[in-house]
Amino acid sequence: MLDHIDATEPLLVGIYYIQLILIFVCGVGFLFGIFMFIYAFKNPHKRRLAYVLTVFMPIGLLCVIHGPVLVMYYVFKQPATPEAELGLMLFVPSLEIAGTKLYEGIVRITQPLLVAVFIIGVAVLHHASRIPGRKRIGYGIFLGVPFLWCLMKVGPSIVKVLTS
């Protein structure tokens, strides 16, 4: 009864959605881990959390990107390709439109927040004359916000390269 249903295409679209979400989560987790090193001072729990995030998030990123390919290659006898008459291209336009609108909304919310955080970082750096912890936080914000801004501008092309 269900012989005519091809589950390959929805499976591939589901994998693509999962990759988009987990690439973002792993990237943000890695950046959070790096900033945790700046913020951790001598607290062993925060340092351990920063270490775990900076080590395991890139490993998770690689598993998310290359995991489906390795599973398809080593588990199945032949590569999973969608049928020509169905085509994965039916789902791609709606996915790109939804992803683009969501990303533009995130960018419009994030840009003013990044500017405010940058100004706060400059103020913290200005008032941290002899407190090394505050200097580290100020320098971390002062250098991290432009990095996040550039990453936000280049993000869609990075995701497109990684998931294609």
Side-chain angles (χ1 to χ4, degrees):
M1 181 172 131
L2 298 175
D3 294 337
H4 66 280
I5 296 176
D6 183 21
T8 306
E9 192 149 346
L11 177 69
L12 292 175
V13 171
I15 289 171
Y16 185 68
Y17 275 124
I18 290 169
Q19 281 181 330
L20 283 177
I21 292 167
L22 289 180
I23 285 173
F24 176 75
V25 168
C26 289
V28 168
F30 177 70
L31 291 174
F32 181 72
I34 289 175
F35 288 124
M36 248 344 235
F37 270 125
I38 296 170
Y39 179 72
F41 304 125
K42 295 181 181 179
N43 188 341
H45 298 293
K46 290 180 183 177
R47 289 185 88 64
R48 189 177 306 124
L49 175 66
Y51 177 74
V52 166
L53 287 174
T54 54
V55 169
F56 287 118
M57 285 298 164
I59 292 171
L61 183 70
L62 289 175
C63 289
V64 165
I65 294 170
H66 299 295
V69 176
L70 293 174
V71 168
M72 293 285 191
Y73 184 76
Y74 286 112
V75 173
F76 300 107
K77 293 181 182 176
Q78 62 185 5
T81 56
E83 293 179 18
E85 58 268 4
L86 292 175
L88 193 58
M89 296 301 161
L90 294 173
F91 293 98
V92 171
S94 62
L95 181 68
E96 286 180 355
I97 290 169
T100 304
K101 296 294 184 188
L102 181 66
Y103 181 75
E104 287 175 4
I106 290 172
V107 166
R108 287 179 190 245
I109 293 170
T110 309
Q111 282 178 344
L113 290 175
L114 282 176
V115 171
V117 168
F118 185 76
I119 292 170
I120 291 169
V122 169
V124 166
L125 189 59
H126 177 69
H127 290 292
S129 61
R130 294 187 182 182
I131 304 170
R134 282 195 190 162
K135 277 188 177 179
R136 280 190 294 239
I137 291 172
Y139 280 127
I141 293 172
F142 189 71
L143 298 174
V145 168
F147 176 72
L148 287 176
W149 187 281
C150 293
L151 193 63
M152 185 175 59
K153 292 296 183 185
V154 181
S157 59
I158 292 173
V159 170
K160 186 176 277 187
V161 167
L162 290 177
T163 57
S164 63

